[in-house]
Amino acid sequence: MHLTGTMKINPQGHLEVGGVDTVDLVRDFGTPLWVMDEQGLRQNCRKIKEAFSALGDSLVLYASKTLSNLSVYRIVKEEGLGLDVVSGGELYTAIKAGFPMEKVYFHGNNKSREEIIMAIEAGVGRIVVDNFYELQLLNACCEEKTKTQNILLRITPGVEAHTHEYIKTGQIDSKFGFTLGDGQALDGVKAALASSALKLAGLHCHIGSQIFEMESFEHASSIMTDFLGTVKESTGHEFDELDVGGGFGIYYFPGDEPRDPADWARAVMNTVGAKVQELGIRMPRIIVEPGRSIAGPAGITLYTAGSCKEVKGIRKYIAVDGGMTDNPRPALYGSKYLAVIANKALHKPFEKVSIAGKCCESGDMLIWDALLPEVEAGDILAVFATGAYNYAMSSNYNRLPRPAMILVNKGSADLILKRESYEDLIRNDVMPDRLNPAD
Ligand code: LLP
């Protein structure tokens, strides 16, 4: 069992988180249920912030695509982090949460004109410009609004991070950013510098997600710093900021070997520090954008076990009341998770069972071959490390309402996301009059 944050097994033999018995959570809020450990979240923010600030001028942005929610944004704000948003929706949530706009960085490879105007008017700290089309569009929007905007340029450094194909982003053949190798990046910098409405504060890159090798971060940092040198040589311009993205890996399953945030900080800060000296350029403020490593380990999902099907000599399936709708990662990436029976946490695991979701497709499996004690209908299954990219990527497939999310801390449990109702599911359905003749 891999317990993080405030998770423990209490004297009743139940899984407890934030000082709250998960059996009580299920009684009070039902299942499926996303549970976030507030202390765990805060500790994760602090560890990363402290690791980087110990080594120099830095800013940690929470990559809010991981888990975007008013209460989560409020916690992140209280911990003194900035915010990476990637859409009008995330920006709207940040505005409503009262997040300081100067600490908001707006990403995205195809921001709409409406999103750009919204960001300029909200006064976001930086817009991270992804491509030439956006550079022009943003410039035009700023001129129209007679505003100047601080920006970063997203550069594709050509670094292959060792992670799942769908979540690596720094390689040359990528939809993101200005490519470094073919001169596009330098042309982008020159175009940005030529604009009077845009102030180029720095550069950005992001090489992928769920990365364990610190060498990948060193490599990207080194390439990006070399490019700072190239820009200085070619234009005389020096940057205030270098943003090297997120991607710090976490523990889901045996074989995952997460590093200490201090290792990440050293890999980035020391690499950039040594390079700037060598190149005779100014040390920029270092920015990082962790998402998974903040929200992931702080979340668990609780389900109720239901039907059981045994295929003699092959496999035993236990179905739970959620699945790919609340956690699409196993179906999408083949991601592996660990689970316990929360109401039998001290019972000896002795049989292999596979945990199925309740959606109408065979691929809706949460865990293959989990080693668990005897699972009976009504037992509570707790899946670990579901705080990142679960709610964020959830759906209403099969018209399943999304679960509620609870924030637990020091023995209290607060609702931070309401469970969807059937009424919510049809809220945006419209029936034209001709399909509903009055008779
Ligand atoms: N910055 C940028 C520009 C990003 O694109 C991302 C993630 C992050 C920061 C945060 O990366 P993190 O620290 O969370 O690894 N849905 C996938 C992950 C996609 C990551 C997208 N970008 C998953 O469930 O594994």
Side-chain angles (χ1 to χ4, degrees):
M1 205 175 305
H2 190 78
L3 302 174
T4 61
T6 64
M7 292 169 207
K8 63 177 192 183
I9 308 303
N10 67 18
Q12 289 76 44
H14 298 169
L15 177 65
E16 179 182 303
V17 53
V20 186
D21 190 320
T22 50
V23 173
D24 294 341
L25 280 176
V26 169
R27 183 196 60 216
D28 295 344
F29 298 100
T31 55
L33 191 67
W34 287 304
V35 182
M36 294 303 297
D37 173 13
E38 182 173 345
Q39 289 307 320
L41 257 181
R42 289 183 186 276
Q43 279 164 18
N44 297 341
C45 291
R46 267 174 228 170
K47 268 195 203 152
I48 299 175
K49 186 168 180 255
E50 283 163 13
F52 278 87
S53 64
L55 297 181
D57 185 18
S58 54
L59 174 65
V60 179
L61 310 177
Y62 167 59
S64 70
K65 70 204 75 183
T66 314
L67 167 54
S68 179
N69 169 275
L70 289 176
S71 301
V72 173
Y73 282 10
R74 192 60 70 84
I75 290 169
V76 167
K77 171 185 149 184
E78 282 175 11
E79 292 302 325
L81 272 60
L83 202 66
D84 144 5
V85 299
V86 76
S87 67
E90 287 182 356
L91 177 56
Y92 181 79
T93 312
I95 294 169
K96 291 291 175 186
F99 211 93
M101 282 298 127
E102 69 279 6
K103 287 172 93 174
V104 173
Y105 283 54
F106 190 21
H107 287 275
N109 69 315
N110 191 25
K111 304 173 190 76
S112 69
R113 192 184 137 78
E114 291 71 27
E115 286 175 320
I116 287 175
I117 300 273
M118 181 182 177
I120 296 171
E121 289 185 337
V124 299
R126 307 278 183 271
I127 293 183
V128 184
V129 177
D130 188 89
N131 50 63
F132 287 108
Y133 169 77
E134 187 186 326
L135 201 54
Q136 274 181 0
L137 183 61
L138 176 60
N139 194 53
C141 292
C142 286
E143 282 175 357
E144 186 186 314
K145 297 277 161 196
T146 57
K147 296 233 183 194
T148 53
Q149 177 65 50
N150 281 307
I151 63 167
L152 305 184
L153 285 198
R154 178 164 183 164
I155 307 296
T156 317
V159 173
E160 295 270 348
H162 299 133
T163 188
H164 192 286
E165 197 61 36
Y166 289 2
I167 55 177
K168 66 180 175 189
T169 49
Q171 72 279 14
I172 293 289
D173 187 4
S174 158
K175 70 171 180 173
F176 298 106
F178 294 85
T179 314
L180 195 59
D182 63 0
Q184 213 183 75
L186 189 57
D187 290 347
V189 167
K190 287 179 181 163
L193 289 174
S195 157
S196 55
L198 306 179
K199 194 174 163 300
L200 184 57
L203 302 179
H204 167 273
C205 73
H206 170 76
I207 56 172
S209 198
Q210 186 61 354
I211 295 169
F212 297 119
E213 291 90 8
M214 295 302 104
E215 296 73 25
S216 298
F217 292 118
E218 282 168 9
H219 191 193
S221 304
S222 171
I223 291 176
M224 291 297 288
T225 317
D226 272 335
F227 185 55
L228 299 183
T230 307
V231 171
K232 182 173 180 201
E233 213 175 273
S234 156
T235 67
H237 187 77
E238 289 194 79
F239 293 104
D240 298 332
E241 291 181 1
L242 176 62
D243 181 340
V244 293
F248 192 65
I250 65 163
Y251 183 89
Y252 287 102
F253 201 76
D256 292 339
E257 288 174 5
R259 304 288 291 265
D260 195 283
D263 295 334
W264 185 27
R266 267 193 299 274
V268 175
M269 303 284 281
N270 293 353
T271 304
V272 178
K275 268 269 161 178
V276 292
Q277 279 210 329
E278 188 187 312
L279 296 167
I281 55 176
R282 197 162 76 213
M283 178 74 186
R285 168 185 241 199
I286 297 295
I287 300 179
V288 283
E289 303 168 340
R292 190 192 305 273
S293 48
I294 290 178
I300 58 171
T301 308
L302 302 176
Y303 303 94
T304 302
S307 66
C308 169
K309 174 187 174 180
E310 194 158 359
V311 186
K312 282 260 175 297
I314 299 186
R315 189 182 306 285
K316 188 167 170 182
Y317 288 94
I318 304 280
V320 294
D321 52 355
M324 65 191 294
T325 41
D326 60 79
N327 183 1
R329 300 190 71 257
L332 203 51
Y333 313 119
S335 306
K336 293 182 173 172
Y337 285 87
L338 289 177
V340 291
I341 302 302
N343 53 310
K344 296 178 179 169
L346 292 176
H347 293 212
K348 278 242 167 318
F350 73 94
E351 66 169 345
K352 267 192 187 162
V353 294
S354 291
I355 309 296
K358 64 177 279 159
C359 288
C360 292
E361 54 184 82
S362 305
D364 179 24
M365 293 296 299
L366 283 177
I367 305 179
W368 292 102
D369 297 333
L371 192 61
L372 292 174
E374 188 193 4
V375 190
E376 295 158 294
D379 279 343
I380 302 164
L381 184 90
V383 178
F384 293 106
T386 57
Y389 304 112
N390 276 220
Y391 162 62
M393 297 202 298
S394 62
S395 76
N396 290 127
Y397 183 45
N398 290 174
R399 285 246 144 158
L400 297 187
R402 283 186 179 78
M405 191 181 293
I406 305 297
L407 186 70
V408 288
N409 193 13
K410 297 183 182 149
S412 59
D414 295 296
L415 187 66
I416 59 168
L417 180 75
K418 284 189 203 162
R419 184 177 298 284
E420 285 177 348
S421 63
Y422 290 144
E423 188 53 37
D424 289 331
L425 294 176
I426 61 162
R427 189 171 307 282
N428 295 318
D429 286 12
V430 177
M431 182 118 67
D433 286 346
R434 66 190 174 79
L435 296 182
N436 193 20
D439 45 15

